[in-house]
Amino acid sequence: MLSRSLWIHVLIVLAAIAWANAEDQANATAVDDKKLAKRAICSTCSYNGRTYYTYGDGRTVERQYYQDPYYTQYSRADVHVNGCHGNPCGVNAMCQETAGGRPVCSCPPGHTGNPLTHCNRGECLDNVDCRSDLQCQNGRCVNPCIGSCGTNANCEARNHVAVCSCPHGFNGDPFTSCRQNDPEEQCHPSPCGVNSKCEILNGVPTCSCLPGFVGNPLSGCRHECDHDGDCSARDMCSNFKCVPACNQCGTGASCNTVTAHRAVCECPKGYIGSPYTECRPECYGDSDCPASRPACFYGICKNTCDGACGIGADCKLRGLTPVCSCPRDMTGDPFVMCRPFTPADLCEPNPCGTNAICIPGHDNTGRERPVCNCLPGHTGNPLSHCSRGECLSNNECPDNKACINYRCVNPCIGKCGSGAICEPKSHLAVCKCPHGFSGDALVSCRQTTVHPVARYINNDGCHTCGK
């Protein structure tokens, strides 16, 4: 063990070393304060050069180097003797002493260059110094997408971070590799249920039940039926499918009803055979038919008069052709209906000529017969043709003519008496006796007779008459 006096000596030495370190630290702090003051007063710095840098994103920046003369006053001897005292490193560089007191210079974070001469501040210290689509790496604002994403991947810089994604139509890990989509991969494994199939339709996996199965293809499909009770009343279960029960009928047979999922089959009228196997025609030609039904129509022997004529009509076969007619005491359309005669039937169809009308009448013997007359305003032969007259009234004729028998004629014809003269006025005949005639102009006009009168002359030459 050390003696008490030795311990006291050791403590004195340690106190002296601590005081010396404190003094060196104070000197270093003073030097740093001077350096900071020099940094703040850039006008005292001397120009030391200009450098241009071009980054990968195409941006070019200019960097200027300045050197403060304060930091050049120390010699290398001072460096070895004083360590970091006096800051022997370059501008903006940091100094750290090793265990042996030797100074070690380095550029601080965000700076690059030769720490013995000059450290240049980088383009950025943090992402906030860069645009949102750039990232701060080693003091430079660079595109974060460079080398960040995998093969075939898309990259978009957002908030200084590379956002990787696979393009449309590709899948995979965008940070390693994106590969083109194979639509069929969506069906492997199949998203569908049992007894169903998966198909890619318009790029979308689509599930459907296999043939013979029904149900929800997403959860699972089942047989349509296992017995007849699973089907509707008119269907039956065949091969796990509900099919019409009438399928049990034979070729050419008809299915009338279904009872207990079983069809009741019959051959059509005129057909022969088994309705559950085959129904065949009654005939293949007229020669296969009897005399009462001599015509073969679509495999059935028929009488061609059946349904060929109208109601009440007679039908007779001329070979195989039906001939329809009404009985002697009836009339009408034999292909529609025959009925008893009526007087109006004498004029149906109209036996008269053009523009003539038919009226039921009687002949001289009293027998019924049609009577033909021209239509009003028409003249001519009603049995052949009637023509419209020249007029129907006096208004359709000139003032000096009258409408007589549908013609505009002189109204004076045959109207006045013998010896009279006629003058047509306002469609009328105006009769009068001529001058020197008298009488009834509508009967006869005669010349007026003049009787002589005696004349006497007296002695004085005076003529007197009738004295």
Side-chain angles (χ1 to χ4, degrees):
M1 295 182 61
L2 297 176
S3 62
R4 182 180 181 86
S5 59
L6 183 58
W7 273 112
I8 293 173
H9 181 73
V10 170
L11 291 175
I12 292 173
V13 171
L14 293 175
I17 294 173
W19 179 84
N21 289 338
E23 185 179 5
D24 291 342
Q25 183 67 31
N27 292 335
T29 301
V31 172
D32 291 340
D33 291 341
K34 291 180 180 180
K35 181 171 68 174
L36 293 175
K38 289 295 183 179
R39 290 179 183 175
I41 308 174
C42 295
S43 60
T44 61
C45 301
S46 61
Y47 176 70
N48 195 35
R50 183 186 299 248
T51 303
Y52 294 92
Y53 289 90
T54 301
Y55 295 101
D57 57 2
R59 294 180 298 109
T60 301
V61 298
E62 175 186 331
R63 290 183 176 176
Q64 297 179 354
Y65 293 88
Y66 293 87
Q67 188 170 6
D68 192 333
Y70 175 80
Y71 295 106
T72 60
Q73 63 182 338
Y74 299 103
S75 64
R76 290 193 176 274
D78 294 333
V79 173
H80 293 291
V81 174
N82 299 320
C84 285
H85 184 74
N87 194 3
C89 301
V91 179
N92 297 330
M94 296 188 306
C95 181
Q96 292 181 331
E97 293 183 4
T98 62
R102 181 177 178 180
V104 177
C105 299
S106 63
C107 289
H111 292 69
T112 59
N114 186 350
L116 297 178
T117 58
H118 196 96
C119 290
N120 297 315
R121 186 183 185 279
E123 186 178 1
C124 60
L125 292 177
D126 199 354
N127 288 336
V128 294
D129 298 330
C130 303
R131 296 197 315 260
S132 62
D133 59 337
L134 299 177
Q135 187 182 72
C136 185
Q137 295 182 7
N138 298 326
R140 294 178 58 194
C141 291
V142 298
N143 187 349
C145 285
I146 299 176
S148 298
C149 300
T151 306
N152 297 326
N154 291 333
C155 183
E156 182 180 0
R158 299 178 186 173
N159 296 327
H160 316 288
V161 178
V163 179
C164 302
S165 62
C166 287
H168 179 71
F170 287 72
N171 57 20
D173 184 359
F175 294 99
T176 56
S177 176
C178 294
R179 65 183 185 279
Q180 192 168 9
N181 290 336
D182 181 4
E184 296 298 331
E185 290 184 356
Q186 301 180 74
C187 284
H188 302 286
S190 175
C192 307
V194 295
N195 299 323
S196 63
K197 63 179 179 179
C198 178
E199 296 177 295
I200 304 299
L201 300 178
N202 297 326
V204 178
T206 304
C207 300
S208 60
C209 289
L210 292 173
F213 291 84
V214 295
N216 187 343
L218 296 178
S219 58
C221 300
R222 56 176 177 77
H223 285 303
E224 185 176 357
C225 66
D226 292 312
H227 50 80
D228 292 339
D230 295 333
C231 303
S232 64
R234 294 190 62 86
D235 293 337
M236 59 179 291
C237 187
S238 176
N239 295 326
F240 306 107
K241 293 185 65 177
C242 290
V243 297
C246 286
N247 289 353
Q248 297 172 317
C249 296
T251 304
S254 60
C255 181
N256 294 330
T257 59
V258 176
T259 303
H261 305 282
R262 291 296 178 266
V264 178
C265 308
E266 293 180 357
C267 285
K269 184 179 180 181
Y271 278 60
I272 58 177
S274 172
Y276 293 95
T277 55
E278 182 182 13
C279 294
R280 60 182 179 81
E282 182 182 8
C283 61
Y284 292 95
D286 296 338
S287 60
D288 298 332
C289 298
S292 59
R293 294 179 293 139
C296 183
F297 283 94
Y298 302 102
I300 301 176
C301 293
K302 287 186 176 182
N303 186 336
T304 52
C305 275
D306 293 341
C309 301
I311 299 173
D314 294 334
C315 181
K316 294 181 179 181
L317 289 177
R318 184 176 297 168
L320 295 178
T321 304
V323 177
C324 301
S325 62
C326 287
R328 294 178 61 85
D329 57 344
M330 302 184 75
T331 186
D333 186 349
F335 295 98
V336 179
M337 185 179 66
C338 293
R339 58 178 176 78
F341 276 108
T342 63
D345 293 329
L346 295 172
C347 291
E348 293 295 339
N350 188 358
C352 304
T354 308
N355 296 325
I357 59 175
C358 179
I359 301 175
H362 298 83
D363 59 12
N364 295 332
T365 64
R367 295 179 59 185
E368 293 180 342
R369 72 173 184 87
V371 178
C372 296
N373 295 308
C374 287
L375 292 172
H378 292 69
T379 60
N381 185 353
L383 297 178
S384 59
H385 181 75
C386 295
S387 300
R388 187 184 186 279
E390 185 179 2
C391 62
L392 295 178
S393 66
N394 289 335
N395 295 332
E396 299 181 22
C397 299
D399 186 69
N400 61 347
K401 292 186 177 181
C403 184
I404 300 174
N405 294 326
Y406 309 114
R407 294 183 62 192
C408 292
V409 298
N410 189 344
C412 288
I413 299 175
K415 296 296 182 180
C416 299
S418 175
I421 61 174
C422 182
E423 183 181 355
K425 288 184 178 180
S426 299
H427 314 291
L428 297 176
V430 179
C431 301
K432 64 182 179 178
C433 290
H435 180 72
F437 287 75
S438 62
D440 187 354
L442 297 176
V443 178
S444 176
C445 290
R446 64 183 181 276
Q447 191 173 11
T448 304
T449 303
V450 180
H451 298 280
V453 178
R455 295 182 180 184
Y456 299 95
I457 301 175
N458 56 16
N459 293 328
D460 57 4
C462 177
H463 298 275
T464 60
C465 298
K467 291 185 180 180

